Structure formats: C-alpha cells, structure tokens
C-alpha cells in the first residue's frame, strides 16, 4: 500500500491549488514527494489550525497515512477533509482509491459519484462525464452513474447518447420501483434504434448504487422525447414525474408547457402556476404588500397587473386586461419601458406604468386591492382554446408615429418585407430559435422585394457583412415599440424568428411569417401552419431540430408566389 493515493492524481484544483501557493504548505509537499513523511507530517500538522489550509492538510495527512500502510486512518482523514471542503477534488480520487484497496467497492463508487456530481456543479461537465463512465465501466448496473451520465449528455444536446443512458437508468429504476415497467416498454417501442446502456441490452441483475431522484430522470427523458417530436410520450414522462414527486416544481413546469403546446389549456394553465415554485424560474416572485387576485369580484376594486417574462408574452396576453375592466376593475398595467407608450395609447381605460427598478416596488402612488402577474390571468379567467384569438388587430401605431413613418417609407409599387433573424440572447432557447443572418442572404437576393431589417441588439452587426445594399436598416429609428409598430404598418409582410416582433405583428394584424425551431415554444402548437392566437401569422417549421435549410427554401418559394400575386394585384389596380 506504499503507493496508495499517489497514482492517477487529477490536476490540483480549488482549495488544493490555493494551498500550493503557501510557502509552508509547498515545503511540506516537497518533503512528502521525496518520501520524508515524518517532516511532511509535522509540516501539515502545523498548518491545520489555519482554516483555509485545514482541508488540504488533512488530505495530505491521509496520503501520508496511506503511504505508511495505515489505510483505515487514511480513509478517515480523507473523509474529514471532504467534510470541511466538499470542492476538494483531489480528495475524492484519493479516497476512492483507498476504499478500493480496502475492498470497499460500493463506497468507492459512491465517492466517485460524488466527485462526478461536484465536477458537474462546477461546470466541468466533460470531466464529470468521464467519472460517470468510469463507474459504469466498473459496474454497468450502477443506477446513479447511468442517470447522471444521461442527464449531462442531455444538457450538452447529445440526444442519442443521453437516451441510451437515461433509458438504461429507467430500466434499472424499474427494478426498484413498481409501476415503471410500462414506461420502459413505451420508450423502447418509441426508440427502437437506441442502443440502451453500456452493454446494449436490458439489465440482467439487480441495480446497484443508491436509488433516488427518478423524477428528475423522467423529466429529462420527457424533454428528450419532446425534442424528438414524441409529444405524447413526453407528456407521459412528465405526468409520471409529478405523480412520483407531487412537489417537484420543475416537473410541473415542464408538464405545463407540454400541455399548453398540445392545446390542453384547462390543465395547462393550472400547472403553469408552478413556475413560481421552481427556484430557477428567471422571474422574481414579487411581494407587493397586497393580495394576489384569485378570481374575487373586482367591482369597485383597483388591481395591478404586472408583465413578466419576455416582451412578446406581454403583447400576447394584454387583451385579457379588457376582461378585468369589464368586471368593474380599475386596472394599472406595469410593463417594461419599451412598451409603455404603445400600450398606453391602445389601452385608454388602463393606467400603464413603467416597471420599477426594484422587484418589490411599484412606480405608482395608487393603493391597490389586488395584484397579479399577467400570465396568471389565463388561469383565473378560465381561458380555453375555444376562446382564441383573444382579439384581432388590437394594437395600432400612434398617429404621430404613423405620420413620421409615412414620410420615411412613402408608398411604392414593390413588395416591402421586414426581417428579424435573432431574438434576445439571454433567452434560454435563443440558440435554437435564432439563426445566422448568412442563411437569409438568398432571401435578400430576391429582386422583386424591398427588404427592411428590424433587427436590434448585437446581431444587427451581421448586416455589415452583406455585400451591397440589399437590405435597408431600420434599427436606428426603432426607439421603442411605438416606433416599431408604425414601421410594421408600412410593410406588406414580416419574416421573423420567434421573438417579440412576431407577437407585435400578430397583435396588429400585419401579415407575418414566423420561422420556428423544432421543438418550438408552446404557443405556436406542435404542428400546422396557422396560429390560433394570431390569424394573420403563418408558421414555417423545422422538420428536424437545428435544420433551417428547408424552412428557408419554403419561405423563398412562398415569397416568389407572393411577389407574382402582388404584381398582378398592382397591375389590376392601375388599370
């Protein structure tokens, strides 16, 4: 056992890395490396009363004990070190090797699993994948390693490999929990070409490792099924996850999105309320000192409705404000600054106020009886698919903006088309919904069309790479959504990815073609070219994730047809 704890050491990181910068620690380490264990031990013991060096010193003392053959003492010291500093990566590796040497294989695998999870939490996912794979190479029936490996692979969009290990984990879980066999059968039938598990066959023995957090694995599997277009199976996985763990907020959130995407609004809106219980939901749950409206009578009451999530969400659901007014409420609507002027002009019965800088305050002197986030109104107002569209052409540009844009874009004979190719980069799915501007250059070459870029933000710079002046850049004039609305009103068509301009065009009744990834956001449904929310919006969908070429080809073909129709109509008007 003299070499125990000295082989296959990972590079020093975190607490050990910092400790190595201390002269006294470095001196003790030099003595350890030349085999002067007595002097090294004395040096580390002198450093143990310094909090920042305690865990590294304990780790090194454990390595000295291992080198001297005292394995059990070494294991105890390593466990103490990791209790003090769970990020001490070297300690996990040394401890696992000591546990193997002591014949404690189950404990060693548990230690390695914790190492993998620690690496994952630090964002070192490739290293975590390697650790999980190492465990499975030793023990293909290890449930935790299979599920964690599949989860990390799913997060890195390695769908086939993720399915392989998550389905393997599900098979192992079915040996521990009754009622999962039917899910295994459904999944195997849906993915017959996936090679499941390290051995490519169903497990023959009992699973090892601690069994738990199956709801997380089921939710991740649901996401993979959804990404592959298997929507019914995704729903099944999400439902089973929340059946097993009724308080699992992420499972409820994913179930909500799947239900809404399927048009099951009644149940979907109820599940959507779980967003406030999910710790990673990007919106702050606000505390404004007034009750949240639950559907009580609003006659003679004053209610604050505050927008949440994206600008497009606000544009989509703002027609619901009229229903509150119809119930006798005095309504104040809080929205981000770019929407204030446009919505104030279109909602004369509502006081539109800008969003406060601090989440738990309001830029308004009024006292309110109730408050509610905008996207909770569908659940409170019993919104169903049969009630769509909520309204038609419910937003109009301001007269002064219309006058400005009429002068800026006077009437011409050619077809005018606006273009947006990228959304807000902070959006969690922006990499999927946005596309490189270079992919649209073939559209810009259409000679029968006048193109106008409505793109804002950093992605606007991609216009500079376009040879010639094939597209007019309108971004310098788009100070807020009032200006953007007036610009849209001067166009014949908008071609856009799934971003706020799509919702603005839909809300105005301006014809819009929306380019959608697969899978797309719930509000556009799972298939079809029409949109229940916006009658003048046409949808162009990817046929498989990440592939925009077919979408662009369809748009180009439809543009050519539209151009010919427009020329015929203009000729008829002139005659």
């Amino acid at each position: 056992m003299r070499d125990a704890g000295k082989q296959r050491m990972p590079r020093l990181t975190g607490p050990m890395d910092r400790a190595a910068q201390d002269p006294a620690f470095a001196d003790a380490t030099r003595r350890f490396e030349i085999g002067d264990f007595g002097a090294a031990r004395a040096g580390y013991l002198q450093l143990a009363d310094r909090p920042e060096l305690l865990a590294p010193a304990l780790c090194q003392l454990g390595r000295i004990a291992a080198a001297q053959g005292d394995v059990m003492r070494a294991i105890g010291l390593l466990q103490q070190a990791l209790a003090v500093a769970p990020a001490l990566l070297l300690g996990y590796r040394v401890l696992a090797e000591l546990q193997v040497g002591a014949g404690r294989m189950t404990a060693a695998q548990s230690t390695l699993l914790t190492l993998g999870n620690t690496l994952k939490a630090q964002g070192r996912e490739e290293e975590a994948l390697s650790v999980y794979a190492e465990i499975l190479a030793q023990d293909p029936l290890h449930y935790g390693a299979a599920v964690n490996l599949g989860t990390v692979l799913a997060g890195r969009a390695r769908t086939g490999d993720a399915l392989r290990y998550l389905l393997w984990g599900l098979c192992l879980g079915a040996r521990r929990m009754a009622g999962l066999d039917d899910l295994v059968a459904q999944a195997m039938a849906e993915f017959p070409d996936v090679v499941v598990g390290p051995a490519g066959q169903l497990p023959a023995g009992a699973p090892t490792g601690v069994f738990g957090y199956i709801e997380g694995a089921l939710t991740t599997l649901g996401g993979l099924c959804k990404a592959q277009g298997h929507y019914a199976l995704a729903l099944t996985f999400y439902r089973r996850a929340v059946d097993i763990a009724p308080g699992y907020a992420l499972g409820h959130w994913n179930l909500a999105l799947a239900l809404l995407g399927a048009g099951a609004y009644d149940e979907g809106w109820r599940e959507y309320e779980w967003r406030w219980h999910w710790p990673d939901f990007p919106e702050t749950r606000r505390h404004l000192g007034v009750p949240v409206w639950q559907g009580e009578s609003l006659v003679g009451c004053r209610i604050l409705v505050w927008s949440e999530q994206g600008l497009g969400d606000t544009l989509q659901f703002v027609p619901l404000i009229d229903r509150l007014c119809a119930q006798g409420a005095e309504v104040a609507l809080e929205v981000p600054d770019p929407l204030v002027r446009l919505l104030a002009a279109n909602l004369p019965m509502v006081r539109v106020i800008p969003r406060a800088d601090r989440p738990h305050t309001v830029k308004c002197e009024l006292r309110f009886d109730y408050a509610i986030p905008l996207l909770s109104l569908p659940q409170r107002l019993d919104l169903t698919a049969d009630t769509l569209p909520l309204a038609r052409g419910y937003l109009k540009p301001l007269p002064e903006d219309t006058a400005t844009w009429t002068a800026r874009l006077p009437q011409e004979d050619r077809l005018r088309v606006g273009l947006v190719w990228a959304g807000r980069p902070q959006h969690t799915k922006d990499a999927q919904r946005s596309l490189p501007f270079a992919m649209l250059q073939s559209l810009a070459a259409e000679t029968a069309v006048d193109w106008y870029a409505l793109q804002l933000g950093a992605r606007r710079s991609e216009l500079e790479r376009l040879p010639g002046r094939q597209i007019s850049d309108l971004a310098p004039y788009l100070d807020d959504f009032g200006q953007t609305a007036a610009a849209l009103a001067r166009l014949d068509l908008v071609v856009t990815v799934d971003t706020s301009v799509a919702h603005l065009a839909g809300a105005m009744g301006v014809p819009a073609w929306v380019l959608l990834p697969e899978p797309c956001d719930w509000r556009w449904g799972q298939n079809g070219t029409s949109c229940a929310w916006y009658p003048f919006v046409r949808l162009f969908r990817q046929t498989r994730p990440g592939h925009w070429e077919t979408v662009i080809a369809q748009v180009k073909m439809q543009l050519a047809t539209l151009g010919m129709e427009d020329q015929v109509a203009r000729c008829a008007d002139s005659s």
Side-chain angles (χ1 to χ4, degrees), residues 35 81 167 179 530:
L167 290 177
S530 62

Side-chain angles (χ1 to χ4, degrees), residues 71-94:
V71 177
M72 300 312 297
R73 176 170 172 75
I75 288 175
L77 286 166
L78 265 298
Q79 289 173 334
Q80 290 178 48
L82 291 170
V84 172
L88 188 68
L89 302 181
L90 175 66
Y92 292 106
R93 180 61 71 181
V94 175

Side-chain angles (χ1 to χ4, degrees), residues 59 74 117 131 189 200 209 243 248 286 300 363 426 483 486 491 506:
C59 177
N117 294 343
V131 172
D243 284 345
Y248 182 46
R286 300 173 72 183
K363 285 185 176 181
Q426 294 83 3
Q483 294 290 344
L491 302 177

Side-chain angles (χ1 to χ4, degrees), residues 118-287:
T118 304
L119 288 164
K120 177 176 176 288
Q122 293 181 0
R124 298 167 61 171
E125 293 185 340
E126 284 299 326
E127 293 173 78
L129 289 174
S130 177
V131 172
Y132 297 140
E134 178 184 347
I135 298 171
L136 287 173
Q138 299 170 1
D139 180 7
L141 301 181
H142 197 284
Y143 168 83
V147 166
N148 281 281
L149 179 57
T151 300
V152 176
L153 288 167
R156 299 177 74 81
R158 292 169 56 179
T159 303
D161 290 335
L163 281 169
R164 175 182 180 182
Y165 288 102
L166 281 169
L167 290 177
W168 180 257
L170 181 62
C171 293
L172 294 172
R175 300 295 180 91
R176 293 280 183 89
M177 176 178 283
L180 294 179
D181 288 326
D182 61 325
L183 280 181
V184 172
Q186 290 181 57
M188 295 301 179
E190 208 75 38
F191 298 103
D193 298 327
V194 174
V195 177
V196 177
Q201 58 187 6
L202 295 182
T208 56
V210 176
F211 174 73
Y213 201 53
I214 186 66
E215 64 272 18
L218 292 174
T219 299
T220 304
L221 276 167
L224 293 172
C225 291
K226 183 179 176 183
Q228 296 296 304
H230 301 277
Y231 297 108
L233 184 57
L235 262 175
T236 301
F237 275 120
Y238 294 144
R239 288 190 187 281
R240 191 62 60 88
V242 299
D243 284 345
I244 292 171
Y248 182 46
L250 179 59
H252 284 284
W253 170 245
N254 280 276
L255 175 59
L257 299 181
L259 289 165
L260 293 174
Y265 285 177
D266 185 42
E267 183 183 2
W269 295 127
R270 291 197 304 272
E271 292 291 330
Y272 200 75
E273 291 300 294
W274 276 89
R275 67 195 186 279
W276 302 116
H277 301 284
W278 177 35
D280 294 327
F281 186 62
E283 285 279 349
T284 300
R285 189 170 189 177
R286 300 173 72 183
H287 303 286

Side-chain angles (χ1 to χ4, degrees), residues 199-478:
Q201 58 187 6
L202 295 182
T208 56
V210 176
F211 174 73
Y213 201 53
I214 186 66
E215 64 272 18
L218 292 174
T219 299
T220 304
L221 276 167
L224 293 172
C225 291
K226 183 179 176 183
Q228 296 296 304
H230 301 277
Y231 297 108
L233 184 57
L235 262 175
T236 301
F237 275 120
Y238 294 144
R239 288 190 187 281
R240 191 62 60 88
V242 299
D243 284 345
I244 292 171
Y248 182 46
L250 179 59
H252 284 284
W253 170 245
N254 280 276
L255 175 59
L257 299 181
L259 289 165
L260 293 174
Y265 285 177
D266 185 42
E267 183 183 2
W269 295 127
R270 291 197 304 272
E271 292 291 330
Y272 200 75
E273 291 300 294
W274 276 89
R275 67 195 186 279
W276 302 116
H277 301 284
W278 177 35
D280 294 327
F281 186 62
E283 285 279 349
T284 300
R285 189 170 189 177
R286 300 173 72 183
H287 303 286
L288 300 174
V290 295
V292 176
W293 184 58
Q294 303 293 341
E296 298 91 341
S297 171
L298 290 175
V299 175
C301 294
R302 186 180 290 142
I303 183 171
L304 171 70
V305 181
W306 52 275
S307 65
E308 56 170 299
Q309 301 180 58
L311 298 170
D313 295 277
T314 301
L315 295 168
Q316 180 181 2
F317 290 96
V318 76
L320 293 175
I321 299 297
D322 287 340
R323 301 191 184 190
L324 300 182
C325 295
Q327 293 188 28
E330 180 184 345
V331 181
L333 174 64
E334 182 196 65
V335 298
D337 287 343
L339 292 174
V340 170
R341 207 167 57 91
L342 176 64
L343 294 183
N346 282 272
L347 299 169
M349 300 295 292
V350 175
R351 180 165 180 175
V352 178
I353 58 177
R355 185 75 177 260
D357 296 330
R358 292 179 295 172
H360 306 306
T361 60
V362 181
K363 285 185 176 181
C364 182
E365 74 284 358
L366 298 177
R367 296 180 64 86
F368 296 98
D369 299 292
Y370 299 104
I372 189 169
L374 179 60
L375 270 67
S376 288
L377 287 181
Q379 191 269 332
R380 305 298 198 276
L381 296 173
D382 298 321
L383 180 64
T384 66
D386 295 335
T387 62
L388 300 182
L390 294 176
R392 298 173 184 267
Y394 53 88
L395 294 183
K396 301 182 184 305
L398 283 71
E400 58 268 32
D401 295 337
T402 297
T404 300
W405 282 90
T406 299
R408 185 172 286 142
L409 297 178
Q411 188 63 45
E412 292 184 359
D413 291 337
R414 288 160 60 86
L415 191 70
R416 289 175 168 169
V417 182
L419 191 62
V420 180
W421 57 91
R424 183 170 50 93
Q426 294 83 3
H427 192 284
T428 55
K429 299 292 184 181
D430 189 62
Q432 290 74 40
R433 66 169 181 169
S434 298
L435 69 159
F437 176 72
M439 298 191 69
L440 300 176
Q441 289 192 14
S442 62
L443 294 182
E446 288 289 325
T447 57
V449 175
D450 284 339
W451 290 96
Y452 296 90
L454 303 161
Q455 181 66 48
L456 300 178
R459 296 290 296 274
R460 175 192 169 206
S461 63
E462 296 178 36
L463 267 178
E464 299 171 1
R465 305 170 198 166
L466 186 68
R469 288 186 55 82
Q470 295 172 296
I471 298 182
S472 300
D473 185 9
L474 299 182
Y477 311 107
L478 304 178

